[in-house]
Amino acid sequence: MKLFARLLSHVNLQELPSILMVGAITYVVYFYYKYFTRKNPLPGPIPLPLFGNFFMFSGDNAIVIKNLQAKYGDIFEFYRGPNRVVCLLNEDLVKEMMKPTLNSNFFQLTSHPDELKELGLFKAGIIYNDYDGWVYNRRFFAKTIISPAFCKQAVVSVQAGFEEMNRYWDQLGEDFVLDLADWMKRYFMETIVITTTSKPANALVRYYEILTDKSNKKKANKGSDESGLFIDAVNSLFLIVGWYEVFPSYVRNFPGFNIYTAKLRKKFFWLRDNILKTIRAKRAEIDATPEGQPLVPDMLTMFLTINTPRDITERIADDLHTKSMSDEQIFVNYLEVMLGGIDTGSNTSCFVVHYLAHYPEVKKKLLKEFETVTGGNPDIKITVDLLNKLEYTEAVIKEVNRVFTVVPIGNRINRDPVTIGGITFPSGTSFTASRQALHMQKSLWSKPEEFNPDRFLKSNPENKNPFYMFGAGERKCPGRNLAMIEVKATLLMLYMKYDVELVDMNAPINYQFIGRGQKSAGM
Ligand code: HEM
């Protein structure tokens, strides 16, 4: 940057437009020279310099990829920003990538995780860490989240969150048409924040206030106080992280884009400071709790006490990972809980509601299962044991995810050269697998276009098929157990209390996979 500034100081201002023009033309010529002489070219749409095929992906990525598959076949390429991505769309092509091998050739998820350095996410937490850092963080994350004490507490929080939402719905009255996608997003945010910190995010109450505010003041100032800013920053997380993942620093800092980058950075660092404050307060709270008095088994308390004399994690640490976690490390893990656990759960729940409205026979069977396990009591205290009995509900959730996969695509980078589909790719190639396409493969699923939850019943052989709702391999979703608890409990409470109808039965699910304004329409 300094060199660039020094060069500029020698330039006559009148010559600047011509210099910029020559620079731009040189870049475009260089980009297309590299593009047309690339190794192992695959079919695929022609990219734009800097942006690649970014503009094609403005809607639902899974649908864009499905359309590209129809045109180019099961293996093709596109450009994410200036980086080439090889897209793989059948089980034979992805099986090597999805093997559950530790430190596999496909450990890395993004091509330039170092771009996340500016946000403090590179070599931290789980998603953007190197292998050793990942092992440490993932071990604590995954073991915390499946510990019986945590799951028990999570069920309590989910039920309390639903009851709170229920009170607002009652106050809104029977004739009020609910935007379920908005409510679910807020409800999942509330329950995820409570299970992580034991402190409310006030996401539900704020939404209720905004909906009922006659003066429109709250609507206009929706992000202005602490909880509003928190909700807004969490809602923008995917966008912020995605912006850094896709666009290298020279694009992010390009005049014009730099203003947008600064806006995203501001939100991110506000959130970081806010979360660090919560973590420090929790640390102080633990220190002030007398020995012998039990600590609440939320995720922060577990992280903060790992490898300390107050360890409440039922000894999830081992001889190799003896360090306690720093506030910074805990911050990134908390951020990843929100990145992984809010939109996924809320959208899955909405998609199920959509499919149940269209498949009354399935809904009838589901309601029967709810009736049986609860004895018909809509106010029953929900427990993990009760949720484990919901086999058909689990089958419905999986089948909805098969036909409408909530995280439809996933990325991997190879460490060593690899041969896939007879083509050898150099190390560092970016691959994208479409989980949605794999879930529709005719050779694996009988009549894949048909919605049939029975295929996921334990007695059905299709239940053993490779299934990617939670991904696969060493990076398979560590939150899957919690996710199933939350979604099952939510559906149980919703359908035991309400008869849910869609406003518009003809409206398809309106979904944009990127994390940006994800919505399920018609509810
Ligand atoms: C219905 C809900 C959920 C779905 C469908 C889902 C799906 C996924 C998928 C597909 C992956 C990528 C796996 C791969 O690349 O092979 C993933 C990763 C991840 N998920 Fe989830 N997830 C859900 C809920 C959660 C929850 C509740 C949490 C945390 C509380 C969570 C945290 C994570 C994390 C941290 C990763 C990254 C793992 C790694 O890179 O090692 N997810 N999830």
Side-chain angles (χ1 to χ4, degrees):
M1 249 354 216
K2 267 187 194 155
L3 181 70
F4 186 61
R6 235 196 280 153
L7 280 176
L8 272 185
S9 66
H10 293 290
V11 168
N12 177 343
L13 271 186
Q14 277 166 346
E15 292 169 354
L16 194 60
S18 330
I19 291 175
L20 288 178
M21 180 69 86
V22 170
I25 292 172
T26 312
Y27 176 75
V28 171
V29 171
Y30 171 75
F31 177 85
Y32 282 117
Y33 169 75
K34 292 276 282 182
Y35 174 72
F36 286 112
T37 57
R38 70 201 186 280
K39 261 192 177 173
N40 294 329
L42 292 167
I46 295 187
L48 288 172
L50 294 184
F51 295 100
N53 302 107
F54 177 75
F55 296 107
M56 292 182 75
F57 286 85
S58 55
D60 182 348
N61 286 353
I63 292 180
V64 179
I65 287 184
K66 191 175 168 195
N67 293 338
L68 291 173
Q69 182 183 20
K71 196 164 173 191
Y72 300 113
D74 285 352
I75 176 163
F76 64 84
E77 63 177 35
F78 65 88
Y79 276 67
R80 190 179 287 131
N83 303 314
R84 179 193 190 208
V85 179
V86 174
C87 205
L88 306 173
L89 299 151
N90 77 44
E91 189 56 36
D92 270 353
L93 295 170
V94 301
K95 65 177 180 236
E96 189 59 32
M97 221 164 92
M98 300 299 183
K99 270 191 187 159
T101 321
L102 279 178
N103 206 359
S104 89
N105 191 18
F106 293 95
F107 168 76
Q108 200 178 321
L109 295 185
T110 48
S111 44
H112 293 287
D114 49 325
E115 294 290 347
L116 278 294
K117 206 185 242 172
E118 208 177 303
L119 302 179
L121 302 181
F122 177 52
K123 293 200 181 176
I126 296 178
I127 301 173
Y128 306 102
N129 219 325
D130 58 15
Y131 185 69
D132 287 343
W134 174 82
V135 171
Y136 173 88
N137 285 283
R138 171 133 184 160
R139 181 183 176 84
F140 293 152
F141 189 103
K143 294 228 169 195
T144 299
I145 225 166
I146 56 161
S147 73
F150 176 81
C151 292
K152 205 169 149 196
Q153 188 66 22
V155 175
V156 172
S157 307
V158 170
Q159 189 154 19
F162 192 87
E163 279 160 9
E164 185 190 348
M165 182 165 70
N166 211 16
R167 282 198 299 278
Y168 303 135
W169 287 0
D170 281 349
Q171 284 163 32
L172 287 170
E174 262 183 36
D175 298 332
F176 196 92
V177 176
L178 297 173
D179 185 332
L180 196 67
D182 273 356
W183 276 104
M184 281 291 145
K185 173 131 184 181
R186 301 243 170 187
Y187 156 75
F188 270 83
M189 188 188 293
E190 190 67 40
T191 52
I192 280 284
V193 170
I194 293 190
T195 38
T196 313
T197 65
S198 298
K199 298 265 181 312
N202 297 322
L204 287 166
V205 65
R206 253 196 102 75
Y207 189 46
Y208 173 72
E209 283 170 3
I210 291 170
L211 289 180
T212 51
D213 175 35
K214 301 253 170 359
S215 69
N216 281 330
K217 262 196 194 146
K218 287 221 163 77
K219 285 186 191 102
N221 301 316
K222 28 184 202 181
S224 57
D225 66 7
E226 183 160 328
S227 67
L229 288 169
F230 181 87
I231 294 161
D232 181 42
V234 172
N235 278 335
S236 309
L237 264 182
F238 267 106
L239 188 58
I240 300 172
V241 173
W243 182 251
Y244 275 76
E245 260 188 56
V246 173
F247 294 114
S249 64
Y250 61 86
V251 180
R252 294 196 306 270
N253 295 317
F254 201 75
F257 294 132
N258 57 353
I259 299 169
Y260 186 60
T261 305
K263 208 170 123 190
L264 296 182
R265 267 179 59 94
K266 193 172 163 204
K267 273 191 197 183
F268 181 85
F269 283 102
W270 183 91
L271 185 64
R272 180 179 173 277
D273 290 347
N274 183 279
I275 292 180
L276 281 172
K277 226 165 47 188
T278 307
I279 295 170
R280 286 179 199 127
K282 180 67 96 181
R283 213 181 257 291
E285 199 182 299
I286 295 170
D287 289 345
T289 309
E291 297 260 352
Q293 192 173 311
L295 298 168
V296 183
D298 57 45
M299 208 170 187
L300 280 195
T301 307
M302 289 188 162
F303 283 156
L304 283 161
T305 58
I306 283 169
N307 288 326
T308 73
R310 297 294 297 267
D311 198 332
I312 60 156
T313 61
E314 297 160 28
R315 303 193 192 291
I316 62 176
D318 59 8
D319 293 345
L320 290 175
H321 305 99
T322 51
K323 281 197 188 138
S324 49
M325 290 179 98
S326 69
D327 291 358
E328 283 289 337
Q329 277 167 330
I330 295 173
F331 156 68
V332 182
N333 279 280
Y334 179 12
L335 205 72
E336 287 173 348
V337 169
M338 293 197 287
L339 272 170
I342 297 176
D343 288 338
T344 48
S346 60
N347 284 319
T348 298
S349 307
C350 288
F351 295 173
V352 174
V353 169
H354 182 94
Y355 274 87
L356 290 179
H358 287 274
Y359 292 88
E361 281 309 307
V362 172
K363 182 171 161 188
K364 213 163 124 190
K365 274 169 90 175
L366 187 97
L367 293 183
K368 189 154 178 267
E369 187 174 70
F370 290 161
E371 191 75 20
T372 310
V373 296
T374 61
N377 176 7
D379 299 314
I380 194 166
K381 186 171 176 284
I382 299 177
T383 60
V384 177
D385 281 349
L386 186 144
L387 297 173
N388 285 341
K389 291 186 188 138
L390 298 173
E391 188 197 349
Y392 188 68
T393 311
E394 183 156 331
V396 172
I397 296 168
K398 286 182 174 168
E399 177 66 352
V400 167
N401 254 282
R402 188 189 65 79
V403 290
F404 207 107
T405 308
V406 73
V407 189
I409 55 177
N411 309 318
R412 293 287 193 277
I413 319 291
N414 57 322
R415 187 183 46 229
D416 305 318
V418 67
T419 303
I420 295 178
I423 304 165
T424 302
F425 296 98
S427 57
T429 304
S430 264
F431 293 95
T432 281
S434 166
R435 301 186 179 100
Q436 180 69 84
L438 299 171
H439 290 161
M440 287 291 161
Q441 202 173 312
K442 287 198 173 68
S443 56
L444 283 173
W445 304 93
S446 61
K447 299 188 185 153
E449 304 296 335
E450 234 170 56
F451 179 71
N452 172 20
D454 287 1
R455 59 174 106 233
F456 282 107
L457 293 178
K458 284 188 191 110
S459 51
N460 194 314
E462 284 195 18
N463 182 35
K464 303 223 159 37
N465 276 356
F467 178 55
Y468 298 104
M469 170 178 177
F470 292 112
E474 61 193 330
R475 310 214 60 158
K476 192 169 180 176
C477 176
R480 55 193 185 276
N481 198 38
L482 174 65
M484 272 297 177
I485 285 180
E486 288 185 317
V487 177
K488 278 184 185 172
T490 303
L491 294 171
L492 178 94
M493 291 183 284
L494 185 66
Y495 283 93
M496 286 297 287
K497 283 210 162 57
Y498 297 96
D499 189 12
V500 189
E501 284 172 22
L502 301 187
V503 172
D504 179 358
M505 281 294 280
N506 295 320
I509 293 177
N510 171 13
Y511 187 53
Q512 290 192 330
F513 178 73
I514 281 198
R516 200 155 26 108
Q518 294 175 6
K519 276 191 117 189
S520 317
M523 276 175 249

